[in-house]
Amino acid sequence: EVFERVPFDGILGLAFPKMSANGVTPFFDNIIQQKVLKNNEFAFYFSPDNPSANAVFWGGVDSAFHDGPIEYFKVVDPYYWALKLRSFQIDGKQLLGTDKLEGASLVEEGGEMRFPKAIVDTGTTFFTAESGMFQEVMQHLKAAPCKSMTDRSHPEILFRLENSAGEARDFKLSHADYMASSGDEPDAQCSPAFMEINIPQQHGPGMILGEVFLRKYFSVYDRGDGVPESARVGFARASHGEATNSRLKSLTGQQPAFRTG
């Protein structure tokens, strides 16, 4: 049904063997087993404004597409590309997390305290929040005319992740990043780029970091020695602009599908 509604030819899953249907070896695990790539990794670049200027890199990273060093974060549940989420905040108020702030929350299941996860997913467009917290997000971040938004009406949101060394790292987004616009100026309307999705109980609680997040942060998916428990995700600020577009054009050999306009 989805193929009737959306104009694409197929879905290339890049998650882990535990998610694979019917025990089929996933695409990237096949690549790892065949030792095809120099490094068992792939990376994604998303343009903020040109849908034909996105890219996936196999077996390495091109530094033209990010600014500064890549920092790595351990995958804590190799079913998804799931990272430890210490805190999700709106304007300094914590809605989900393990940090000792107002509103701090862990989920207790069968006497076990489960820590929240940030699931990195290139196939999801928006951020996601689970039932209850989604409604709270919507109360804080209301739809509004784009031209009326300010830092006060639509404050900064923050995802605090735990890196591979066990240190906290903050990823901050302004309303220019997390509000999605529709319509033409000056009457364009903006709404928060959040969807309500409940993560399966055995893998939650969690939030998905989708394309809205990945436009701002270049991402690397490193399988290391191929063992799922060795996996990690790397982030660096994405580089945007004419130099990046030119580099992408040179890599794609002037393909007709690539447009700069």
Side-chain angles (χ1 to χ4, degrees):
E1 182 182 348
V2 67
F3 296 103
E4 296 175 357
R5 294 186 285 109
V6 184
F8 55 71
D9 297 321
I11 297 172
L12 178 62
L14 293 169
F16 295 88
K18 286 182 180 179
M19 185 185 276
S20 178
N22 303 318
V24 174
T25 301
F27 168 77
F28 201 70
D29 284 81
N30 246 321
I31 287 179
I32 292 171
Q33 291 172 13
Q34 295 178 49
K35 298 179 169 43
V36 174
L37 301 175
K38 180 180 179 181
N39 301 305
N40 293 325
E41 65 182 21
F42 54 92
F44 274 84
Y45 170 82
F46 288 98
S47 168
D49 51 20
N50 185 354
S52 70
N54 304 321
V56 57
F57 301 88
W58 302 103
V61 174
D62 190 318
S63 60
F65 293 87
H66 65 87
D67 296 323
I70 296 170
E71 184 169 18
Y72 286 90
F73 299 78
K74 179 179 173 55
V75 171
V76 295
D77 180 9
Y79 181 84
Y80 303 109
W81 289 92
L83 314 177
K84 188 170 183 179
L85 176 61
R86 285 196 180 186
S87 184
F88 168 65
Q89 302 174 24
I90 298 178
D91 198 21
K93 178 184 178 183
Q94 181 164 271
L95 277 66
L96 182 67
T98 59
D99 282 1
K100 294 182 179 180
L101 301 173
E102 180 184 354
S105 60
L106 288 170
V107 173
E108 184 173 1
E109 295 176 0
E112 178 186 1
M113 301 303 290
R114 303 178 64 88
F115 60 81
K117 302 172 185 72
I119 297 168
V120 190
D121 183 21
T122 61
T124 299
T125 303
F126 287 177
F127 296 104
T128 73
E130 299 193 59
S131 298
M133 192 179 77
F134 174 79
Q135 284 70 29
E136 192 171 358
V137 170
M138 292 298 102
Q139 290 175 2
H140 286 283
L141 308 175
K142 297 183 182 297
C146 298
K147 63 183 180 183
S148 72
M149 292 190 304
T150 66
D151 292 341
R152 184 172 182 178
S153 68
H154 292 78
E156 186 175 75
I157 67 173
L158 177 148
F159 293 90
R160 179 169 294 150
L161 307 180
E162 184 172 298
N163 69 11
S164 294
E167 301 165 336
R169 290 290 182 266
D170 290 349
F171 295 81
K172 301 176 181 180
L173 297 98
S174 71
H175 57 76
D177 301 313
Y178 68 72
M179 295 293 284
S181 65
S182 60
D184 298 322
E185 294 291 353
D187 300 318
Q189 294 292 309
C190 281
S191 56
F194 278 81
M195 299 186 298
E196 182 177 359
I197 292 181
N198 291 319
I199 305 301
Q201 186 175 13
Q202 66 270 33
H203 300 292
M207 303 178 70
I208 295 176
L209 310 182
E211 184 183 333
V212 172
F213 181 87
L214 298 173
R215 290 174 194 155
K216 186 165 185 175
Y217 297 102
F218 181 84
S219 56
V220 184
Y221 305 82
D222 182 11
R223 286 288 301 272
D225 59 6
V227 177
E229 287 72 21
S230 301
R232 58 182 188 163
V233 177
F235 292 122
R237 283 293 296 264
S239 178
H240 300 303
E242 186 54 40
T244 305
N245 283 342
S246 296
R247 176 59 177 163
L248 185 54
K249 288 191 70 173
S250 71
L251 291 173
T252 55
Q254 307 295 322
Q255 292 182 31
F258 180 81
R259 302 184 301 275
T260 56

